[in-house]
Amino acid sequence: MSTPESSTAAAATFSPACASAAILPAHLAAARAIKVRDHHLNRKAIVYIRQSSPQQVAEHKESAARQYALADLAVALGWPRDRVEVVDQDQGRSGQSAVGRPGFQYILAELGLDHVGIVLGLDASRLARSDPDWVPLVRSCGLFRALLGDYDGLYDPTDFNDRLLLGLKGIMSEAESHFLRARMHEGRLNKARRGELFNHASIGYVREPGGGLALDPDEQVQQVVRLVFDQFDRQGT
């Protein structure tokens, strides 16, 4: 989790636009006039950052830039910079479950303490990929009069229409995850039917660039592997 000071530095690192104040899009400016109230601004804004795997963190820099830039969006919406907190503890963690995501758990705790005026995320899937995690978040925001927001709009869970839209966003996020898993599973089955599916080399071996297997270059590992086969030859089992 980042402090407001380190959050500012992180946003500046990831987003070139952070050198100047963010320009508030017209649809968000209209939503701010209708939905953002003093009791929201008197509490902090939380920006939630999450990418699903370490590989995404390393390679998908533009996604990270857009997420960190939400801190500038919070300022443009009216929150003082020192009340904008970036929560990025869950970088590299899947959104399939709240288990193992301390950043998400922290947000729920802060909502319960009535410390939060708005929670901003790139989209619903950043916060939760499963309805059992999404629904408590929306309910907590409604109970403690906190807003949810992304680049598409601002949502007030105390408003029926906004709550309905948030419910649809949560369902779509979970469905998207289901479709992705289904496509990946079908891809693995197709490779298995062709005899091309490879999960990992057996213990003591490594995969070569050409696709074959070779003994692990570690000499100690090689000795253990040879010992196992020697014992098998002697014992016959």
Side-chain angles (χ1 to χ4, degrees):
M1 181 176 55
S2 304
T3 62
E5 292 79 6
S6 62
S7 303
T8 304
T13 300
F14 280 93
S15 176
C18 292
S20 59
I23 298 174
L24 195 63
H27 68 285
L28 290 178
R32 176 182 64 179
I34 297 171
K35 297 178 181 178
V36 177
R37 297 288 180 261
D38 288 343
H39 65 268
H40 297 127
L41 297 173
N42 289 336
R43 294 172 288 170
K44 65 184 174 184
I46 287 184
V47 175
Y48 182 70
I49 312 292
R50 186 186 66 79
Q51 290 168 285
S52 298
S53 68
Q55 182 180 0
Q56 289 186 13
V57 175
E59 297 178 1
H60 299 176
K61 300 295 185 182
E62 193 59 34
S63 173
R66 294 189 67 216
Q67 293 187 62
Y68 279 103
L70 286 165
D72 294 293
L73 181 63
V75 174
L77 287 168
W79 271 265
R81 177 71 67 177
D82 61 359
R83 282 208 291 273
V84 178
E85 181 178 2
V86 173
V87 175
D88 54 10
Q89 283 178 297
D90 295 343
Q91 276 284 60
R93 300 172 186 261
S94 170
Q96 294 293 333
S97 171
V99 177
R101 286 201 289 151
F104 185 78
Q105 298 287 355
Y106 170 77
I107 291 174
L108 291 178
E110 288 294 278
L111 283 167
L113 293 171
D114 203 18
H115 292 168
V116 183
I118 189 171
V119 178
L120 291 165
L122 185 63
D123 54 52
S125 67
R126 296 304 91 198
L127 286 155
R129 281 284 194 183
S130 65
D131 206 48
D133 296 330
W134 177 248
V135 170
L137 174 68
V138 174
R139 186 181 295 119
S140 293
C141 287
L143 182 62
F144 294 98
R145 300 184 304 160
L147 302 174
L148 281 159
D150 55 26
Y151 283 114
D152 289 333
L154 303 178
Y155 315 99
D156 182 356
T158 64
D159 177 82
F160 173 79
N161 289 321
D162 281 7
R163 193 162 63 250
L164 178 63
L165 182 56
L166 288 168
L168 290 173
K169 280 179 171 282
I171 292 171
M172 291 172 63
S173 176
E174 186 171 18
E176 181 185 24
S177 180
H178 169 77
F179 295 142
L180 287 172
R181 287 199 305 272
R183 286 199 294 268
M184 292 174 65
H185 180 64
E186 286 299 321
R188 286 193 294 269
L189 287 179
N190 283 337
K191 291 189 73 173
R193 293 185 187 106
R194 297 195 304 269
E196 298 175 2
L197 181 64
F198 183 88
N199 288 321
H200 60 273
S202 301
I203 295 174
Y205 291 83
V206 294
R207 191 177 188 184
E208 294 182 317
L213 295 176
L215 281 172
D216 193 299
D218 189 310
E219 292 184 1
Q220 185 176 1
V221 173
Q222 291 182 19
Q223 291 173 3
V224 171
V225 172
R226 291 192 178 99
L227 177 63
V228 169
F229 281 106
D230 289 343
Q231 288 298 320
F232 182 81
D233 289 339
R234 294 192 187 96
Q235 302 297 331
T237 181

